C-alpha cells in the first residue's frame, strides 16, 4: 500500500462471488427489472449478474493502516474478494464529455444515498 495514500481515489476491481451461475445474464434485460427502461445487454449496464462477474468502483481513500486500505463509496458487499486496486489518475479518466441515456440517470439518482 506504500504511496496509495497520496491519491484521493482508487479504483477497486472485485469479484461478484455470490452470483449464482444460473443468474448470469447473457441477453438483454430491463435494468433493475424496470419495464419503463429499455431492455439492454449486460455490458450496457452495471448489474452484478455479468458473464465475467467482475465489478469495478471508484472509491475515496480514507486512510491506510499497514496493509489495510480504508475507502468510502465501495459498491460491494462485506467479504467480497478484491482482485486489484488501481490509483485513479485524471489522465486515465475520460478525455471527452461523457454521454449516457436518460434511464441511467434515473437509476442512479438515489443510488448512493444511505438507507
Amino acid at each position: 500500500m506504500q504511496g496509495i495514500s497520496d491519491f484521493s481515489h482508487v479504483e477497486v476491481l472485485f469479484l461478484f462471488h455470490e452470483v449464482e451461475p444460473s443468474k448470469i445474464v447473457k441477453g438483454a434485460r430491463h435494468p433493475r427489472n424496470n419495464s419503463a427502461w429499455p431492455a439492454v445487454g449486460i455490458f450496457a449496464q452495471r448489474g452484478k449478474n455479468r458473464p465475467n462477474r467482475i465489478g469495478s468502483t471508484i472509491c475515496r481513500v480514507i486512510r491506510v493502516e499497514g496493509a489495510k486500505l480504508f475507502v468510502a463509496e465501495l459498491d460491494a458487499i462485506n467479504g467480497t474478494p478484491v482482485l486489484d486496486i488501481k490509483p485513479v489518475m485524471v489522465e486515465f479518466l475520460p478525455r471527452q464529455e461523457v454521454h449516457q441515456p436518460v434511464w441511467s440517470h434515473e437509476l442512479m439518482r438515489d443510488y448512493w444515498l444511505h438507507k
Side-chain angles (χ1 to χ4, degrees):
M1 294 297 164
Q2 184 174 342
I4 203 73
S5 61
D6 293 334
F7 292 88
S8 65
H9 292 79
V10 292
E11 182 174 9
V12 178
L13 302 171
F14 52 90
L15 183 67
F16 289 115
H17 66 297
E18 292 192 8
V19 172
E20 297 176 31
S22 64
K23 301 285 186 181
I24 299 295
V25 174
K26 295 184 179 160
R29 70 174 178 112
H30 298 281
R32 301 261 171 108
N33 296 315
N34 184 337
S35 61
W37 297 331
V40 296
I42 195 68
F43 295 123
Q45 52 189 292
R46 295 186 63 103
K48 69 183 183 306
N49 299 340
R50 316 179 71 70
N52 61 19
R53 300 187 315 155
I54 295 173
S56 169
T57 305
I58 293 178
C59 307
R60 191 167 33 91
V61 173
I62 303 298
R63 71 183 183 280
V64 176
E65 291 179 6
K68 291 183 181 180
L69 174 64
F70 294 81
V71 298
E73 301 162 355
L74 176 59
D75 185 23
I77 61 174
N78 194 26
T80 296
V82 172
L83 303 173
D84 200 2
I85 300 167
K86 297 174 180 266
V88 173
M89 300 177 188
V90 170
E91 292 82 2
F92 280 102
L93 296 175
R95 290 168 295 288
Q96 298 81 26
E97 184 178 353
V98 174
H99 298 273
Q100 63 190 72
V102 172
W103 67 262
S104 65
H105 288 291
E106 293 171 4
L107 184 149
M108 295 303 298
R109 182 176 307 126
D110 298 325
Y111 190 83
W112 294 106
L113 294 180
H114 294 101
K115 295 177 182 169

